[in-house]
Amino acid sequence: MALVTTGVVVLDCAEPEKLAEFYKELLEAEHVDASANRVEVHTADGFRLALRRDMNATAPSWPRPENSLQAHLEFVAEDLDGVERRIVSLGGRPTESGDPSGAAEERGYADPAGHSFTVRRGVPTAPKQG
């Protein structure tokens, strides 16, 4: 019998309700649990993401070294241009672009609260540089 049976990614932020809306729309997810300090969304394929209120939350500054990347999410998509338009329309912002000619094209973004995430096409074959 497994000691751990399930998991959920939790992002701290000042306004979990607003950030949950961003991810709900981006991932076509559903709200499944909400309290005064936490909102959780689930996708159709079982991915679980919780947004927890932290009044002292400070957005990571990646790629700058101060308060740098602590963790990030990674999503897979075929239409990277379409996903980018969707992210920006929901209040996210681009932070970097990968080499569009590469086999594993990826692009970096920040959600409305500043958490970084990557959208990629293909499977990474090399370690992250920097």
Side-chain angles (χ1 to χ4, degrees):
M1 175 185 264
L3 294 176
V4 176
T5 58
T6 190
V8 61
V9 174
V10 180
L11 297 177
D12 291 343
C13 59
E15 299 179 280
E17 301 84 3
K18 287 184 180 180
L19 197 55
E21 280 302 313
F22 172 83
Y23 283 109
K24 179 182 166 204
E25 294 297 321
L26 178 63
L27 302 174
E28 298 180 8
E30 296 180 15
H31 281 111
V32 295
D33 188 26
S35 68
N37 292 310
R38 179 180 160 119
V39 179
E40 189 170 316
V41 298
H42 291 190
T43 65
D45 66 358
F47 177 70
R48 297 172 59 195
L49 178 66
L51 300 308
R52 181 177 64 179
R53 187 176 319 279
D54 178 350
M55 298 311 292
N56 297 313
T58 302
S61 62
W62 188 86
R64 296 183 322 265
E66 66 278 359
N67 193 29
S68 190
L69 180 67
Q70 297 149 4
H72 79 280
L73 304 173
E74 182 176 281
F75 303 106
V76 176
E78 289 301 315
D79 180 5
L80 296 180
D81 292 333
V83 170
E84 182 164 309
R85 286 189 296 274
R86 180 76 170 149
I87 289 166
V88 170
S89 76
L90 293 169
R93 63 180 173 81
T95 59
E96 68 172 302
S97 295
D99 176 6
S101 65
E105 182 179 355
E106 69 177 44
R107 298 178 186 178
Y109 300 92
D111 67 24
H115 301 104
S116 65
F117 63 96
T118 301
V119 179
R120 71 169 56 251
R121 179 177 25 232
V123 178
T125 58
K128 177 77 175 162
Q129 300 295 315

